[in-house]
Amino acid sequence: MGRKVTVRDKILETAATLFYNQGYVQTGINQIVAEADIAIGSLYKHFKSKNDLLYSYLEQEDSRFFTTLDAKLAPKKTPREKLMAYIDFRIDQQKNGNCAGCHFIKINAEIGRTDEEVQRLVQKHKEKQKHLIKKLVTEIQPSKNNFDAKQLTEIIFTMIEGGVVAATINGNTRSLEEIKKLVDKLI
């Protein structure tokens, strides 16, 4: 039996869908209340402001991202397989999301530098990904090139992030798939 969906969960899921699909700025509290089919008081009982709801959304997406990623990486045996699976995960995210982009890149583009907490949450999420890449790159110890682990991590991370943006612009994952091939050659 699944866990009971709470009013807080309902609000957060509704806001997550709206923030991702139409943007934070374009989403109003009244729309969230109407689509979640709750009273406005219920929203403010759980979230003191729209910003508080946004922070909870980003924390939830971070948790969801890494929980799903961990499950995808768990059966992989080698660091190389894990790195390739990480890139596959990012490709799958775009395919499953109709190439609509990254939750964090989108929010950062809208308001990232105008809200210190949003900026902190976005940077933390991206730094956790960089840390994973660096751990795997260090374990692989690439011998085909002269890059150090920090530099190679930055290159791989930036290519993947750029590939996610390209998927959003082009409506397909071809750039990410080409990046995967290049990373496979680099390592």
Side-chain angles (χ1 to χ4, degrees), residues 80-118:
R80 179 188 201 85
E81 290 173 332
K82 289 179 190 271
L83 183 57
M84 294 298 108
Y86 167 73
I87 299 170
D88 285 336
F89 173 72
R90 297 300 302 268
I91 292 168
D92 291 346
Q93 279 190 309
Q94 291 312 300
K95 286 180 178 176
N96 296 337
N98 200 26
C99 294
C102 165
H103 299 269
F104 293 85
I105 292 172
K106 291 170 84 157
I107 289 296
N108 191 65
E110 273 194 275
I111 60 170
R113 292 211 179 123
T114 63
D115 185 310
E116 287 181 18
E117 182 63 7
V118 168

Side-chain angles (χ1 to χ4, degrees), residues 58 61-63 65-66 90 93 102 104 120-130 157:
L58 290 172
E61 290 307 319
D62 179 73
S63 176
F65 179 97
F66 284 102
R90 297 300 302 268
Q93 279 190 309
C102 165
F104 293 85
R120 185 188 72 76
L121 290 166
V122 169
Q123 288 174 346
K124 178 181 152 200
H125 178 74
K126 297 302 181 179
E127 286 302 319
K128 284 166 63 175
Q129 290 177 64
K130 271 190 194 180
F157 173 79

